Amino acid sequence: EFLDQIGEFIKLTDKPCVIEGNAKISDNNYDTNWEISITRAQKIAQYLIEVHQLSPQKIRAIGFGSIMPETLTQRIDFVIIDYENGAGS
């Protein structure tokens, strides 16, 4: 449900969105935290494209693994890019 709200929000803006995956956990299905984080970000991007019919040109998925220090062991960040003002929101 929360992801659907995010999808509707992204639909309302004309700006692109970067989905950033972060992970600091071990998972026997993946060799690295980077693989975990990029896979999660890609799955969310695919969901938003398929279910909410967002343009693939509007969505980017990237993974940071465990290089972005944070107290959470896993998270997804949604960053709206405003190229006109040269900053992400």
Side-chain angles (χ1 to χ4, degrees), residues 37-49:
S37 63
I38 190 63
T39 299
R40 288 183 179 154
Q42 286 175 326
K43 286 182 179 186
I44 290 172
Q46 183 177 0
Y47 175 84
L48 293 174
I49 290 166

Side-chain angles (χ1 to χ4, degrees), residues 17-79:
C17 178
V18 178
I19 301 168
E20 300 177 347
N22 301 273
K24 288 193 297 189
I25 61 173
S26 61
D27 185 320
N28 292 334
N29 295 317
Y30 299 95
D31 291 331
T32 67
N33 284 326
W34 178 82
E35 287 180 83
I36 296 169
S37 63
I38 190 63
T39 299
R40 288 183 179 154
Q42 286 175 326
K43 286 182 179 186
I44 290 172
Q46 183 177 0
Y47 175 84
L48 293 174
I49 290 166
E50 291 176 1
V51 173
H52 291 276
Q53 285 126 23
L54 295 175
S55 168
Q57 288 76 30
K58 192 173 185 177
I59 300 290
R60 302 288 183 267
I62 60 175
F64 288 108
S66 60
I67 64 170
M68 303 275 283
E70 188 67 40
T71 56
L72 299 173
T73 58
Q74 54 187 335
R75 72 178 194 282
I76 297 289
D77 297 320
F78 295 87
V79 181

